Amino acid sequence: MIDRTQFGEQLREIIAATEQKIAGYEAAAAPVTPDDSIGRVSRMDAINNKAVVEAALRTAKRKLQRLKAMEANLDDPNLGLFKRCGRPIPMGRVLAMPESPFCVRCSS
Ligand SMILES: [Zn+2]
């Protein structure tokens, strides 16, 4: 069994960190200004970086959704158990990869 109090605390810390990350990505993904002074090559770089940042932003937002869903369901008796096999999930893994509810064995 996982320690729900400790889990909830860590969950909230990760939620805050993820929200900060998202704010950073959103700032970085702001529209590239068509400013000639930065030159064509660096504008291409900016556009490439933007695609990378946008992908990271989507991933972070999905993760945040899962984390918040977990926070809302801290009383769920299945919290901390893998969805398919019901084996306990190592807490570090839940927090690092909230997007994968299946253990290595089940997802392979
Ligand atoms: Zn499993």
Side-chain angles (χ1 to χ4, degrees), residues 18-33 46-47 49-58 60-61:
T18 306
E19 280 172 340
Q20 253 179 21
K21 226 197 251 180
I22 288 175
Y25 288 147
E26 276 174 343
V32 180
T33 22
I47 289 165
N49 287 339
K50 192 168 165 347
V52 171
V53 169
E54 278 171 352
L57 178 60
R58 275 194 299 277
K61 279 186 169 170

Side-chain angles (χ1 to χ4, degrees), residues 82 84-87 102-106:
F82 283 114
R84 194 167 299 170
C85 63
R87 296 194 315 163
F102 302 118
C103 72
V104 179
R105 200 181 300 172
C106 286

Side-chain angles (χ1 to χ4, degrees), residues 63-98:
K63 181 173 177 176
L64 183 65
Q65 267 182 359
R66 301 278 172 114
L67 290 167
K68 288 200 162 167
M70 268 199 269
E71 190 193 19
N73 291 300
L74 274 179
D75 295 332
D76 183 343
N78 291 321
L79 180 77
L81 300 176
F82 283 114
K83 277 208 164 71
R84 194 167 299 170
C85 63
R87 296 194 315 163
I89 309 175
M91 193 159 79
R93 187 181 187 281
V94 184
L95 297 170
M97 302 171 63

